[in-house]
Amino acid sequence: MQKKLRTGVIGAGHFGRYHALKVGSVAREVLAGVYDPDSQRAALVASEAQCPVFDTAEALFALCDAVVIAAPAEFHFDLAVKALRAGKHVLVEKPVAATLEQADQLVALSDETGLVCQVGHLLRYSAEHAAITQRITRPLYIEATRIAPFKPRGTDVSVILDLMIHDLDLVMAIVDSPIAQVDALGAAVSSDHEDIANARVRFENGCVATITASRISLKTERRMRLFSQEGYLSADFGKRELVMIGRERGLPLPGTGGFRRESMTWKESDSLHAEHEAFVAACLDGAPVVVDARAGRRALEAALLVAEGIETTRRRMELSGLIQEG
């Protein structure tokens, strides 16, 4: 009989519900139960997912092989530590932790126990990520935009940790070089944390990325443009469209000295399903963890560098009188 991964979900909010419902669609995964301090919310999600509700995280640990941690970001580290020490594999939503020291502890604990600690950077499992990395391997410049209208969900952290961290992780996976310098600007508009931010990230290999994230825009837009010696690529994640100008793919462009134009679209893919399949493969088969705790730490470090850059810029503006101290 095929072994299945018994997975529990901690956190019955927006993402926790999605995780709980998704487990049932994965062939080798079964939902062991749900825990949330809000017992009414936990009961609602458990009823929808047709699984037991647990009164404590520890009670859930006792009846599962792995846990998804979809609680608010401030609880990620403590819950992940408890789960790993209880001998459970972990899929923790981003950010992996609140500080680099905490992230380092999770890396060490995962190594020490031999357990999977996977971080929920969903874009790594998307069709657009595969389409980009198949075409651009040595980027010189990347421009990423991720903007959306305001929603109360996610405002417990800044837009950097809420939205920008997705593109930071994706950019660093493509560039594969340490960060040398970050110049950033941001502002809190509708919440206590930055709701809009822009960062210019320079990598040690010379590549530069400009990343913009906003949760106070009038429309939703998710785009990425990349320049390299391989060509120019423009991707619209919302429309699921990609255009590549290069020498290897597509139809010839007359009068351009040998350049070709490739246009492609992709169907909407279930990245969450792919993420869970990868988690199951890592836990049951020992497959490589696509986004492990080290990758989560790298994304967190980049996000914290952006936050530091914003604070540096803010102090400069206050000293010049451009903005008033608040």
Side-chain angles (χ1 to χ4, degrees):
M1 186 174 179
Q2 189 180 46
K3 179 174 174 56
K4 291 194 174 186
L5 187 73
R6 297 172 301 164
T7 302
V9 176
I10 299 178
H14 182 77
F15 284 115
R17 173 180 175 271
Y18 282 144
H19 280 290
L21 295 175
K22 191 56 60 181
V23 169
S25 71
V26 178
R28 295 195 294 160
E29 192 173 26
V30 60
L31 184 60
V34 172
Y35 164 70
D36 192 293
D38 184 340
S39 58
Q40 289 187 336
R41 177 65 188 179
L44 180 65
V45 171
S47 174
E48 192 175 4
Q50 297 184 329
C51 72
V53 177
F54 289 83
D55 294 331
T56 66
E58 290 74 17
L60 177 58
F61 292 160
L63 292 177
C64 66
D65 308 307
V67 293
V68 175
I69 297 173
E74 63 187 295
F75 302 113
H76 286 183
F77 171 71
D78 287 340
L79 289 168
V81 167
K82 287 180 181 178
L84 289 169
R85 286 180 175 165
K88 310 304 171 184
H89 300 292
V90 169
L91 169 53
V92 57
E93 273 297 342
K94 53 80 187 168
V96 63
T99 68
L100 294 182
E101 291 76 16
Q102 290 179 348
D104 286 335
Q105 289 183 55
L106 289 180
V107 170
L109 192 53
S110 179
D111 288 345
E112 176 188 326
T113 59
L115 295 165
V116 171
C117 184
Q118 180 173 312
V119 187
H121 287 285
L122 204 56
L123 279 185
R124 296 281 205 101
Y125 306 90
S126 66
E128 52 260 46
H129 174 241
I132 291 171
T133 54
Q134 287 167 7
R135 290 163 174 79
I136 300 288
T137 60
R138 301 183 305 277
L140 307 175
Y141 175 76
I142 302 176
E143 181 178 287
T145 301
R146 183 175 296 267
I147 62 175
F150 180 77
K151 295 178 181 178
R153 175 185 57 79
T155 54
D156 58 316
V157 295
S158 71
V159 73
I160 306 163
L161 292 174
D162 181 27
L163 297 181
M164 184 183 282
I165 197 168
H166 285 296
D167 290 313
L168 286 167
D169 173 67
L170 188 55
V171 165
M172 287 187 298
I174 297 170
V175 176
D176 194 24
S177 176
I179 292 174
Q181 181 182 345
V182 174
D183 188 18
L185 175 68
V189 179
S190 297
S191 72
D192 294 332
H193 306 283
E194 285 86 4
D195 296 302
I196 186 167
N198 173 268
R200 183 176 178 85
V201 182
R202 185 177 297 278
F203 294 89
E204 288 184 4
N205 68 359
C207 179
V208 173
T210 301
I211 306 172
T212 299
S214 170
R215 58 189 181 198
I216 53 168
S217 298
L218 296 177
K219 62 178 182 178
T220 298
E221 182 178 315
R222 295 187 297 121
R223 294 177 178 269
M224 185 173 283
R225 296 192 299 160
L226 302 94
F227 307 163
S228 80
Q229 289 183 312
E230 298 154 297
Y232 163 79
L233 185 149
S234 176
D236 186 322
F237 301 152
K239 295 180 179 179
R240 297 189 286 278
E241 296 176 350
L242 179 150
V243 175
M244 173 84 178
I245 307 296
R247 295 187 181 274
E248 302 297 329
R249 300 168 179 261
L251 300 174
L253 283 173
T256 61
F259 283 98
R260 295 173 174 270
R261 183 182 192 276
E262 178 194 18
S263 298
M264 68 163 289
T265 61
W266 57 87
K267 293 181 180 179
E268 185 173 4
S269 60
D270 191 339
S271 299
L272 188 59
H273 183 91
E275 181 181 55
H276 273 268
E277 285 194 322
F279 183 55
V280 170
C283 296
L284 296 184
D285 306 331
V289 184
V290 178
V291 189
D292 61 10
R294 284 180 174 81
R297 183 202 186 279
R298 185 176 63 177
L300 175 64
E301 181 179 27
L304 294 177
L305 287 172
V306 171
E308 290 175 12
I310 289 174
E311 184 58 32
T312 298
T313 300
R314 181 181 294 116
R315 288 197 299 267
R316 187 180 303 126
M317 289 177 169
E318 289 173 348
L319 288 172
S320 72
L322 181 61
I323 61 175
Q324 295 181 348
E325 296 186 27

